[in-house]
Amino acid sequence: MVGRALFPAVALILSLSACASPSAQGSLHEYWGVAYTNVSTRCGGGYQVYRKPGTSRILVRAYELSEARQSFCERYNGIQPSVGVTGVRHEEAVVEYMATRADLRECRLVSGTEITSLHSEFVIACPVAPTGAVRAKG
């Protein structure tokens, strides 16, 4: 009985990963097991933002219902969707995420790739902290 209950979940995961063709930057399976942060944007858009440790890559996953809600809200209120730096869907979510993180406030958005209609991956660049190198006298 448990096997039958798991089959639809496994089928869904496999079908979603099939939609995520490898891009120049990465794919969805690379983010499995990475913790996410919930981010809200104007008009109630809701997103999960995944920051891959040790890299400058960030994945944004839109919630289906809030994606539709945000689109409707923008049209109803005459708000133009923000084009931003990359022009990639869900950029607003990664910018909002970076603004709420003290360790990312000095960083800038470099590029982005739409993986699926609900998933986009972005690359950020952060300033390098001084190493505090010691100089020898001589």
Side-chain angles (χ1 to χ4, degrees):
M1 191 69 147
V2 172
R4 287 184 183 171
L6 289 176
F7 181 75
V10 171
L12 177 64
I13 290 170
L14 291 175
S15 67
L16 288 176
S17 65
C19 294
S21 60
S23 67
Q25 294 170 321
S27 63
L28 296 177
H29 75 275
E30 294 179 42
Y31 290 89
W32 286 354
V34 175
Y36 65 87
T37 301
N38 285 313
V39 173
S40 293
T41 57
R42 64 187 171 140
C43 278
Y47 303 89
Q48 290 177 338
V49 179
Y50 299 80
R51 183 170 179 213
K52 190 165 182 170
T55 71
S56 58
R57 295 166 36 194
I58 297 175
L59 178 78
V60 175
R61 178 192 176 275
Y63 290 114
E64 296 86 349
L65 188 56
S66 62
E67 178 81 349
R69 177 182 167 196
Q70 180 162 336
S71 295
F72 174 77
C73 172
E74 288 173 346
R75 276 181 280 156
Y76 183 78
N77 293 310
I79 300 170
Q80 293 296 319
S82 60
V83 176
V85 175
T86 66
V88 174
R89 187 188 307 225
H90 312 126
E91 180 179 319
E92 186 179 2
V94 76
V95 170
E96 182 68 26
Y97 172 75
M98 290 170 59
T100 62
R101 299 283 312 247
D103 60 329
L104 298 179
R105 287 198 181 124
E106 299 295 320
C107 301
R108 63 182 177 83
L109 191 55
V110 176
S111 64
T113 302
E114 187 175 324
I115 298 174
T116 71
S117 62
L118 295 175
H119 301 85
S120 296
E121 185 179 52
F122 297 90
V123 174
I124 59 172
C126 300
V128 178
T131 59
V134 178
R135 295 184 186 185
K137 292 184 180 181

